[in-house]
Amino acid sequence: MTKSIEMTGPNPAPTRRVALGLLGASVLGAGLASGSAFARDDEKVLTEALVLRDPEIPVIGNANGDITIVEYYDYNCPYCRKIAPEIRQVVQDDGKVRLVLKDWPILGEVSKIAARMALAAKYQDKFVEAHDALIGVSSRLTEPRIRELLAGAGINIDRLNGDLTAKAKEIDAILARNSAQAEAFEFRGTPSFIVGKFRVPGILTMAQFEQVIADARKAKASN
């Protein structure tokens, strides 16, 4: 990746018409002329396998679902916190959606600490618990608060500290992949999403997410 994009924080919500217009121009795997996010060196970053099925990132929802939603988020992003329960509800109600949560810590050093700790929790099979604890707060995180929240969610902090050291290379590689993907997609802030093979650079309502999922299924069926 040689592209550098200034990240400034929470992504504003597009109108449904604008969001879906962008979707149609951003199909994974399409040619550059059709507006694909694939371009130049991005081809190594934006493979369908790495974007939708990174083996190092746990899956929430239906692991065998027919449509994948990928969210790029920051634990200190208020928009990410606001939309988190709505996305989970959509995934639960649909029953056939895979939800892949990709940390993209762009709002400062504490966001990076939170992302690393959440990912370290996956080595004790507690990523979902860690994620829910950190995304569910209403105030800005600090490192002591992060540790308090994780301990309260049943995370073994001593083991977490050990995994942060022992798995540092793997964790940093995950965050680097996530960041490279988000920049290659030209996302400007969090939250941002991939739904199926479509790009959604901002917040949608539950009804709009349901419509995008339906559109993604239609697109998949037509291929």
Side-chain angles (χ1 to χ4, degrees):
M1 281 291 297
T2 58
K3 189 184 304 180
S4 177
I5 299 176
E6 182 181 358
M7 302 303 169
T8 57
N11 221 9
T15 65
R16 179 176 180 275
R17 182 176 62 82
V18 171
L20 296 183
L22 287 168
L23 290 176
S26 308
V27 181
L28 278 170
L32 181 59
S34 65
S36 169
F38 285 93
R40 301 177 299 279
D41 296 337
D42 297 349
E43 292 179 3
K44 296 180 181 179
V45 176
L46 299 183
T47 66
E48 184 170 337
L50 279 180
V51 172
L52 303 183
R53 299 182 181 276
D54 189 326
E56 295 300 317
I57 298 179
V59 174
I60 296 174
N62 186 339
N64 298 314
D66 61 338
I67 293 296
T68 299
I69 295 177
V70 181
E71 179 184 5
Y72 296 86
Y73 64 91
D74 185 303
Y75 285 117
N76 264 323
C77 166
Y79 291 94
C80 300
R81 294 170 178 170
K82 179 179 183 296
I83 202 171
E86 298 178 1
I87 297 171
R88 294 286 281 274
Q89 189 65 52
V90 168
V91 170
Q92 179 180 324
D93 290 348
D94 183 280
K96 296 185 292 183
V97 172
R98 302 172 67 252
L99 177 60
V100 180
L101 299 169
K102 297 200 175 188
D103 295 90
W104 186 28
I106 58 176
L107 298 177
E109 188 60 31
V110 173
S111 291
K112 296 176 183 178
I113 291 170
R116 287 191 173 96
M117 287 186 176
L119 287 170
K122 83 186 185 77
Y123 297 106
Q124 51 183 290
D125 295 324
K126 294 285 188 178
F127 172 78
V128 174
E129 290 85 349
H131 175 79
D132 288 348
L134 297 182
I135 206 71
V137 297
S138 58
S139 58
R140 193 165 182 83
L141 294 170
T142 63
E143 185 171 353
R145 180 61 171 150
I146 293 168
R147 293 184 179 277
E148 177 186 357
L149 289 167
L150 294 181
I155 311 299
N156 183 318
I157 300 300
D158 288 338
R159 178 173 175 181
L160 184 80
N161 290 335
D163 286 333
L164 280 168
T165 300
K167 302 294 186 179
K169 183 176 180 180
E170 290 89 339
I171 291 170
D172 287 345
I174 292 170
L175 292 176
R177 284 198 300 276
N178 293 353
S179 179
Q181 289 170 11
E183 290 189 20
F185 280 125
E186 298 185 351
F187 290 145
R188 300 290 178 175
T190 56
S192 292
F193 302 89
I194 300 298
V195 181
K197 296 185 180 182
F198 296 142
R199 181 181 64 171
V200 183
I203 299 172
L204 299 180
T205 65
M206 289 178 66
Q208 289 168 341
F209 266 114
E210 290 168 356
Q211 182 59 58
V212 175
I213 291 168
D215 291 345
R217 285 198 171 105
K218 289 179 183 177
K220 182 177 180 179
S222 66
N223 290 340

